[in-house]
Amino acid sequence: MKKLDIKEKLANLSLGTVRVSDASCLFRLAMTLANTRLANKTYKLIKELNSSDKADEIIRLLKK
């Protein structure tokens, strides 16, 4: 299952059907997806910074 599929299923999930025992798993899944996204953005930024040799370009990338 792809990340986009998981996001769509979480968005369509009715809170009335979630049991207490499922809540912690769902929360962990949502946090894992958020952390993965943040890590991917950070990796992309580091890769761009490493390939750049201009100070102005580095400052522009940090302001994103």
Side-chain angles (χ1 to χ4, degrees):
M1 187 177 282
K2 293 183 180 181
K3 185 168 53 170
L4 186 59
D5 297 334
I6 295 171
K7 286 181 186 179
E8 288 176 6
K9 288 186 184 290
L10 283 176
N12 294 333
L13 187 66
S14 171
L15 291 179
T17 61
V18 176
R19 294 179 296 218
V20 174
S21 60
D22 298 334
S24 65
C25 290
L26 290 172
F27 180 72
R28 263 188 271 152
L29 177 61
M31 291 303 297
T32 301
L33 290 172
N35 288 334
T36 302
R37 179 183 165 114
L38 180 62
N40 287 339
K41 283 188 167 208
T42 303
Y43 177 75
K44 182 180 175 186
L45 180 63
I46 289 171
K47 197 165 116 178
E48 288 179 19
L49 287 174
N50 285 337
S51 66
S52 174
D53 55 335
K54 296 182 181 177
D56 293 337
E57 192 173 332
I58 292 173
I59 292 171
R60 181 188 59 79
L61 288 172
L62 290 174
K63 289 183 178 180
K64 278 187 180 179

